[in-house]
Amino acid sequence: MSSSRFLYALTAILLGSLAMPGMAELTAARQKELVHLVRQDCGSCHGMTLRGGLGPALLPATLADKPAEGLVATIIGGRPGTPMPPWHRFLAEDEAQWIVERLMAGFPE
Amino acid sequence: MQLFFSGLLAVLLSACSGMPLRGTGDLGLVVERASSHVTLVNTSSREAYARIGGLGDLSHASVVYSRDARYAFIFGRDGGLTKVDLLEARIVKRIMQSGNAIGGSISQDGRIVVAQNYTPGGIKAFDAETLELLSEVPAEYAPGSFSKVVGLADVPGNKFAYALFDGGEIWVSDFSDSKRPVTKRYPAGLQPYDGLVTPDGRYYLAGLFGEDGIALLDLWQPEQGSRKILEKYGRGEEKLPVFKMPHLRGWSVAAGRAWLPAIGRHEVLIADAASWKETGRVAVKGQPVFVMASPDGRQVWVNFAFPDNGWVQVIDTLTGKIVQTLQPGKAVLHMEFTPRGEAVWLSARDDNRVVIYDTKTFRNLGSLAADAPSGIFFTSRAARIGF
C-alpha cells in the first residue's frame, strides 16, 4: 500500500467514525435518560448492575466476542423465542448503538 | 415490698434492652434497590423508624419473615442473604449464598429458609436460626443442564414448590429431612416465569412465558400430575412486547377466583378457583406485573410494566370492573396491603417515595421518602402459606 493510499484509507476511517449516525448528537440529558433506562428497566431482567438475571449479563467481558451490530439489532428488534422485547418504540438506532458501545466499554453509573 | 422489687426489676430490664417492649405485627420494610439499604417502617404510625445499609445488590430483592415476625430474611440479586432484626434494627447475620439469586421462602415450621437461584441454578436450604447451609437441590433437568429457578413457594409439609425456567418443569422438594430433601418433578410447559401457591396451599400455578397458558398442580393430589389451564388465551393473536416479567406471588385468589396477568396482552385473566375454567377478563392499561388481591378479596390492584408503570388500576372483584385508575407516582414497582387491607403502600421508584392510599376512599394518605424504592414487605407475610 502506498503511503498516499494509506493516508486516504486512514482519513476515510476517521471520517467514518466521526460520521457515525447521531453519535455526536446525543445530548447529555438524553444520555442520562438512557443510562437510567438501561440500569432500571433493562435491569429488571439483566440486573441493575448488569450482571444478569433472567436475561444474560451485559458486562464488557460477556459482550466482548459479540459483534456490535448484532447487539444493536437485538435491542431494536428483540430476540424472538426469548423474553427480550423490541425497544424500537423507545430507542432510535443511534441510541441503541450508543448503549452498546457504552456496555462494551463498561456502562456508566 | 416484693411487688416494689419486681416492678423495679421490670424497669431495669426494659432499660437494659434500650427500647420499650413491642410486637412486630405492624412493622415491615421497604427495599431501596439502588443503594443497598432497607428502610424499616411502622404501618400504624405510617412512619419510617430505622434504615439499614450494607445489603449488597438489592435489585429484585425480596423478603420473607420468621414465624415470630421479628426477623426479615432479605434475598439480594447478588446472592446475598441477610437476616435483619426488626426490633433492634440491625443485621443479625449476612452470607453470600450464590452468584445470582431471585428470592426465597420459609418453611411451614419456620426452621428452614430456602433461596432460589439463577446461578448456579437450583435452590439452597439454610437453618433459619444460624443461616448455616443444610442442603441444596441443583436444578439439573437434563445431564449437565441447569435451569434458572423461579416461583419458589412454601407449601404445607415443609415442602417447597418451584418452577424451572429453562427446564420447563415444576419441582416439589420435601424437606421433612432438611439435610436430605426428596424432589418430585412435573411437566409445566415452555418457559415458566414465576409461580404462586393458592392461599390454602393446595394449588401451585406456574405462569408460562413461552406459550399461552398456566401450569397447575394440585398439591393435595400430586399423583394426578400437572395440567394446563387458560390454554390459548391469546387466541393466536400476536403478543405485545413484554418490557417486564409479571410477578405472581401475592394474594391473587379473591372471591373464589384467581386473577392472573396475561403475557403479551393488556388483560387480567380470571379463572374459577375450583374448576380452573376461564370466567372472564379485564382489559387494563398495560402489561400487568403485580395482580394483587386485598386481604378481604374485594379488590384486586394491578400495576404495569414499562412504559405504563406510572398507572395503577383497581378491580372490584364482585363486578369484575375497574373502579379506580390512579397515578401514584413515577415507576410504581410494588404494592403491599396493610395486614387487614385498610391501606395499601406503593413504591414509586423514580419519585423516590412510598405512597400510601386508603383502599376505601382511594384518598392519598401520605408518603415516605425512600431512595429508589422497590419491594415493600410487611410482617403479615410471616403467617401466610406460600411465602
Side-chain angles (χ1 to χ4, degrees):
Chain A
M1 189 187 274
S2 74
S3 70
S4 67
R5 277 186 66 186
F6 170 76
L7 279 178
Y8 175 80
L10 187 67
T11 312
I13 289 167
L14 287 172
L15 280 175
S17 65
L18 283 177
M20 288 263 269
M23 276 298 105
E25 287 146 45
L26 285 189
T27 62
R30 182 59 180 157
Q31 291 183 12
K32 205 175 157 207
E33 281 173 13
L34 294 181
V35 169
H36 186 265
L37 179 86
V38 170
R39 293 246 169 233
Q40 301 299 331
D41 295 306
C42 304
S44 47
C45 279
H46 297 282
M48 196 174 51
T49 57
L50 308 174
R51 290 191 175 86
L54 197 64
L58 302 177
L59 300 171
T62 48
L63 299 178
D65 59 341
K66 299 193 167 55
E69 317 84 76
L71 296 171
V72 173
T74 297
I75 292 175
I76 293 297
R79 184 166 288 187
T82 78
M84 178 67 183
W87 289 83
H88 58 78
R89 270 173 65 200
F90 311 102
L91 294 172
E93 192 143 340
D94 60 326
E95 294 176 330
Q97 203 163 348
W98 184 87
I99 289 170
V100 166
E101 284 175 9
R102 292 305 177 281
L103 287 172
M104 296 184 96
F107 205 73
E109 287 300 321
Chain B
M1 192 63 183
Q2 198 182 356
L3 197 66
F4 171 77
F5 275 117
S6 66
L8 186 68
L9 189 65
V11 169
L12 285 173
L13 276 176
S14 67
C16 286
S17 68
M19 71 184 77
L21 286 174
R22 78 166 340 273
T24 60
D26 57 358
L27 303 183
L29 64 79
V30 176
V31 172
E32 294 172 277
R33 70 196 299 266
S35 56
S36 302
H37 277 78
V38 293
T39 284
L40 308 190
V41 296
N42 179 322
T43 60
S44 298
S45 64
R46 299 192 197 120
E47 285 171 339
Y49 69 91
R51 193 162 182 254
I52 298 173
L55 299 173
D57 178 1
L58 294 181
S59 58
H60 207 289
S62 73
V63 174
V64 298
Y65 287 99
S66 60
R67 68 196 249 135
D68 62 5
R70 174 170 178 177
Y71 300 100
F73 298 92
I74 304 167
F75 303 88
R77 166 67 91 184
D78 55 6
L81 168 55
T82 313
K83 183 175 179 179
V84 164
D85 183 340
L86 291 186
L87 289 179
E88 296 187 338
R90 66 178 182 94
I91 293 173
V92 177
K93 177 113 195 202
R94 175 170 163 79
I95 60 168
M96 293 303 289
Q97 60 86 20
S98 78
N100 196 315
I102 193 66
S105 192
I106 187 162
S107 62
Q108 184 177 37
D109 67 4
R111 292 172 192 275
I112 310 167
V113 170
V114 174
Q116 56 180 338
N117 291 317
Y118 281 170
T119 321
I123 62 170
K124 284 186 178 177
F126 300 89
D127 184 308
E129 191 68 40
T130 62
L131 297 191
E132 176 198 340
L133 181 68
L134 295 169
S135 53
E136 56 188 304
V137 183
E140 189 176 11
Y141 59 96
S145 297
F146 294 82
S147 177
K148 299 182 186 85
V149 170
V150 298
L152 181 73
D154 126 78
V155 297
N158 267 19
K159 295 176 184 173
F160 292 87
Y162 48 103
L164 277 60
F165 177 78
D166 310 285
E169 294 181 0
I170 295 169
W171 287 17
V172 181
S173 295
D174 183 340
F175 285 81
S176 300
D177 179 347
S178 62
K179 301 224 162 155
R180 275 166 289 273
V182 178
T183 299
K184 295 214 164 94
R185 302 168 57 165
Y186 306 88
L190 281 179
Q191 296 171 324
Y193 65 87
D194 201 1
L196 72 86
V197 64
T198 51
D200 57 9
R202 176 165 180 181
Y203 295 101
Y204 181 77
L205 285 76
L208 303 174
F209 183 84
E211 59 183 291
D212 286 346
I214 286 165
L216 177 87
L217 178 65
D218 182 349
L219 296 162
W220 289 4
Q221 308 174 85
E223 65 284 357
Q224 294 186 352
S226 55
R227 64 189 170 101
K228 293 256 176 69
I229 60 165
L230 302 176
E231 264 191 292
K232 302 188 178 62
Y233 63 76
R235 305 170 176 134
E237 291 166 23
E238 198 177 334
K239 274 187 189 178
L240 299 166
V242 178
F243 294 103
K244 180 173 176 169
M245 278 289 178
H247 290 60
L248 296 179
R249 182 186 279 190
W251 269 346
S252 296
V253 177
R257 287 166 287 167
W259 305 73
L260 300 159
I263 286 278
R265 298 180 70 84
H266 295 178
E267 289 174 340
V268 171
L269 308 173
I270 313 169
D272 183 278
S275 70
W276 296 102
K277 297 251 188 297
E278 182 178 330
T279 61
R281 301 176 176 209
V282 186
V284 289
K285 275 252 173 216
Q287 167 67 54
V289 174
F290 281 98
V291 177
M292 293 180 116
S294 58
D296 63 356
R298 181 62 198 270
Q299 295 176 344
V300 166
W301 287 57
V302 187
N303 76 332
F304 304 101
F306 175 90
D308 300 308
N309 54 10
W311 299 98
V312 167
Q313 292 190 299
V314 183
I315 302 168
D316 174 12
T317 57
L318 195 61
T319 62
K321 299 249 187 304
I322 288 169
V323 290
Q324 193 68 220
T325 298
L326 301 164
Q327 287 183 282
K330 284 189 207 141
V332 176
L333 294 192
H334 195 224
M335 309 172 281
E336 180 83 330
F337 292 96
T338 52
R340 298 198 191 186
E342 81 288 354
V344 63
W345 292 38
L346 305 104
S347 52
R349 182 193 69 202
D350 292 353
D351 280 340
N352 295 307
R353 64 194 168 112
V354 171
V355 190
I356 306 168
Y357 278 88
D358 183 306
T359 53
K360 195 170 174 202
T361 63
F362 304 110
R363 204 161 53 87
N364 183 330
L365 296 174
S367 65
L368 281 80
D371 185 12
S374 53
I376 305 173
F377 303 93
F378 296 155
T379 54
S380 41
R381 289 175 176 246
R384 284 166 65 171
I385 293 171
F387 285 71

